Amino acid sequence: MRSLFMITLGMVALSACSPKEKSTAPTFDPAENNPGGATTVSMEPFASFEHPAANMPKELKPDFHAGKALANQPWVKAPTVTTMRDGLGPLYNSRTCLMCHIKGGKGFVPDNGDIPMLSSLVRLSIPATDSPDHQVMLQHHGVIPHPVYGDQIQGQSTSLAHQLRHSQKDNDQLKHDIPPEAYVFIDWQTSEFTYPDGRTVTLRKPQLRFENLGYGELGDNTLTSLRVAPPIHGMGLIELIPQIAINALADAEDGNHDGISGRINHIWNNETQQTVAGRFGWKANKPSVKVQTAAAFNGDVGISTTLFPGQPCSPQQTSCLAAPTGNDVKNVELADDLLELVVKFNRNLAPVERRNTDQPEVIAGREYFYQAGCHQCHNPGFTTAESDRDPHLGNQKIWPYSDFLLHDMGPDLADNRPDFEASGSEWRTAPLWGIGIQEQVNGSKALLHDGRAQTIEEAILWHGGEAAGVKATFISFEQAKRDALIQFVESL
């Protein structure tokens, strides 16, 4: 039966091309239907990015669910009797991990300028100089944080006045003891794109607006970058991709003259105290699931760990520095063993099986995906390395559709904010697995790093720089081909 199915798939794929067209897509591999290999989970009973890997040993599941509980339970202001979960902030963006990574999926950006941003954040920095201090900071931090506001805007604080701002917003007698850094709003600027066949698509671009700046003006030289919380499934599999396999896809000088480079972001690993290759984050500026998780605890929730000790307060934020902490006997708010539980939860979140793979449009769309050249950055598959720590995640054939490299995406997508070796126009290729069920998981339509795209078509039309040629080919396709390519991506 499987052989007959494969023959049928091959016939349909070939019929997608005109008689003069030669197929550019590789032969379909049935393994593509299971993006996470043996870890892949079903869509039934509902689309979810919070399921543990399907092949996760039974004895490891208690730690997974304990980590999920820690990622989901809200942190509270210190001091309190709840000593295992106090230490929130004093400045923060979210009380929990999953308040931004909603149900393991993407965060939201407001659709209009009347709603403050809650499940996304704004990165901050200033241009670096040649001073020795700045050079050391660049090596270890990747950017020069804003001298007052640090490396990201934290829109919430433990201040009672902030907590009650919605219920007592007209009460100007209630003053902040620790002012939140700012309330961020997005004013969307729209434009029309017109295809050669006359069809139009409305595109939107975010314009940030900062209100209630708690510590003075940002300054004209402040660099900002809006970031939407990304989905977190499959992170343990990504971590086990051999670096040599990613290196093999890099072509920093475009030696093959195909217009696609692909660079590794060399970054600082707080855990090993070494410069290593990055593979997590919108700019590939984090090396591992553990460092990514601990950094998010510190920057987003205001929780210290041994990897990121101290509070997220700059020297100028004296009330923040003076606030009580939730530190334990080791002077951190989240002990190593509890951090490890959340890391295990993140590592074992499973990719979801592909959908509609037998539909002719999806099969044809696969061909057009390769014809357009999307695969040059959205590299389909890898095989994970064997792992003594997580043997069930090792030696898996996976299909994340990313090369985990930096690519210049052109001026329209540029944030003009360098991060380690990533330039202001370079972004890591975002994995595509699960993109088709993103909205079903939690309702978020936000695509790209700042959520400006609400559909896969809009995301493609924002591509530029190294992807300009790929976008041009997509635009040149007749609408039926464009629709088929999009349906293929939605099936991933």
Side-chain angles (χ1 to χ4, degrees):
M1 180 61 75
R2 175 170 292 184
S3 298
L4 177 60
F5 180 62
M6 284 297 297
I7 293 171
T8 304
L9 281 177
M11 290 176 65
V12 177
L14 288 174
S15 68
C17 309
S18 72
K20 294 182 179 180
E21 288 179 331
K22 182 180 179 181
S23 175
T24 57
T27 302
F28 177 78
D29 184 342
E32 295 179 36
N33 290 334
N34 294 307
T39 74
T40 305
V41 295
S42 168
M43 278 276 286
E44 302 296 336
F46 51 82
S48 175
F49 289 150
E50 287 189 330
H51 288 314
N55 64 344
M56 188 178 189
K58 183 178 179 181
E59 61 270 21
L60 299 183
K61 290 187 178 180
D63 278 357
F64 173 89
H65 290 291
K68 180 178 179 180
L70 279 168
N72 207 28
Q73 291 180 359
W75 288 79
V76 298
K77 179 181 177 180
T80 179
V81 294
T82 311
T83 56
M84 295 292 285
R85 288 191 292 111
D86 71 337
L88 174 69
L91 296 170
Y92 64 98
N93 283 310
S94 177
R95 287 177 177 270
T96 77
C97 304
L98 297 181
M99 197 172 284
C100 291
H101 304 282
I102 302 165
K103 296 184 178 179
K106 235 178 171 182
F108 288 81
V109 287
D111 287 333
N112 63 68
D114 297 328
I115 305 171
M117 198 170 68
L118 291 176
S119 63
S120 300
L121 60 84
V122 178
R123 294 281 187 210
L124 296 178
S125 56
I126 61 173
T129 68
D130 293 331
S131 72
D133 287 349
H134 275 200
Q135 293 309 304
V136 171
M137 201 175 296
L138 284 179
Q139 180 187 1
H140 290 167
H141 203 73
V143 299
I144 308 301
H146 188 282
V148 176
Y149 286 89
D151 67 357
Q152 69 185 60
I153 285 285
Q154 286 147 325
Q156 305 205 58
S157 83
T158 53
S159 164
L160 179 62
H162 168 69
Q163 301 296 319
L164 298 178
R165 73 188 193 278
H166 295 297
S167 60
Q168 298 189 16
K169 59 184 177 182
D170 296 328
N171 183 356
D172 59 6
Q173 300 301 311
L174 198 57
K175 303 299 183 185
H176 290 295
D177 51 354
I178 303 173
E181 293 187 321
Y183 298 152
V184 183
F185 298 84
I186 301 175
D187 297 319
W188 294 102
Q189 300 175 333
T190 60
S191 60
E192 294 289 326
F193 174 82
T194 304
Y195 284 102
D197 60 13
R199 183 172 176 274
T200 61
V201 177
T202 299
L203 302 176
R204 64 177 192 173
K205 185 175 184 177
Q207 180 69 44
L208 296 174
R209 173 163 46 89
F210 300 95
E211 295 190 0
N212 299 81
L213 283 161
Y215 303 87
E217 295 299 316
L218 289 172
D220 293 337
N221 67 339
T222 303
L223 308 176
T224 62
S225 184
L226 173 60
R227 309 286 178 87
V228 178
I232 51 178
H233 60 279
M235 291 180 71
L237 295 167
I238 294 172
E239 192 172 52
L240 287 177
I241 296 172
Q243 186 59 44
I244 192 173
I246 296 176
N247 294 347
L249 299 172
D251 185 15
E253 303 300 326
D254 191 19
N256 61 2
H257 307 293
D258 64 352
I260 308 293
S261 59
R263 297 197 309 121
I264 293 168
N265 197 4
H266 295 96
I267 63 170
W268 185 253
N269 186 333
N270 289 63
E271 184 176 21
T272 63
Q273 296 290 295
Q274 294 175 312
T275 295
V276 299
R279 63 175 66 181
F280 294 101
W282 288 110
K283 294 259 188 185
N285 64 354
K286 293 292 183 295
S288 66
V289 178
K290 185 173 183 177
V291 173
Q292 174 79 65
T293 304
F297 261 117
N298 189 249
D300 301 341
V301 194
I303 299 297
S304 60
T305 61
T306 54
L307 284 180
F308 294 92
Q311 301 301 314
C313 319
S314 71
Q316 286 76 11
Q317 294 169 329
T318 53
S319 58
C320 180
L321 289 169
T325 70
N327 285 354
D328 61 13
V329 294
K330 294 186 177 180
N331 212 31
V332 296
E333 292 168 327
L334 183 65
D336 286 347
D337 57 338
L338 299 182
L339 171 63
E340 193 59 35
L341 289 175
V342 183
V343 171
K344 288 178 179 177
F345 163 68
N346 278 279
R347 282 194 179 120
N348 284 286
L349 288 167
V352 179
E353 66 184 353
R354 284 186 60 196
R355 289 78 50 204
N356 306 320
T357 54
D358 58 348
Q359 290 188 0
E361 293 83 2
V362 172
I363 296 168
R366 180 176 180 272
E367 174 62 37
Y368 304 141
F369 183 87
Y370 283 89
Q371 282 186 21
C374 306
H375 66 289
Q376 294 174 98
C377 298
H378 291 284
N379 181 66
F382 297 90
T383 299
T384 61
E386 293 185 357
S387 172
D388 293 334
R389 183 191 63 205
D390 297 302
H392 60 290
L393 302 182
N395 201 28
Q396 298 294 327
K397 197 170 186 178
I398 63 171
W399 305 83
Y401 283 86
S402 171
D403 59 9
F404 304 99
L405 297 171
L406 297 172
H407 293 277
D408 188 333
M409 297 301 291
D412 285 339
L413 282 179
D415 64 355
N416 300 309
R417 180 180 178 273
D419 194 334
F420 286 104
E421 295 182 4
S423 75
S425 59
E426 287 182 312
W427 298 95
R428 184 199 72 159
T429 306
L432 297 180
W433 54 8
I435 193 172
I437 60 169
Q438 174 181 309
E439 188 174 356
Q440 289 175 265
V441 168
N442 65 14
S444 174
K445 297 179 181 177
L447 296 175
L448 298 176
H449 66 278
D450 55 13
R452 70 178 67 189
Q454 297 179 286
T455 66
I456 292 168
E457 180 180 31
E458 291 176 30
I460 295 171
L461 293 175
W462 275 112
H463 280 48
E466 295 177 36
V470 174
K471 182 177 75 172
T473 302
F474 174 78
I475 292 170
S476 72
F477 284 162
E478 60 187 24
Q479 185 168 340
K481 283 189 174 182
R482 298 196 300 263
D483 290 345
L485 189 155
I486 291 168
Q487 288 187 56
F488 166 71
V489 175
E490 289 175 339
S491 78
L492 297 176

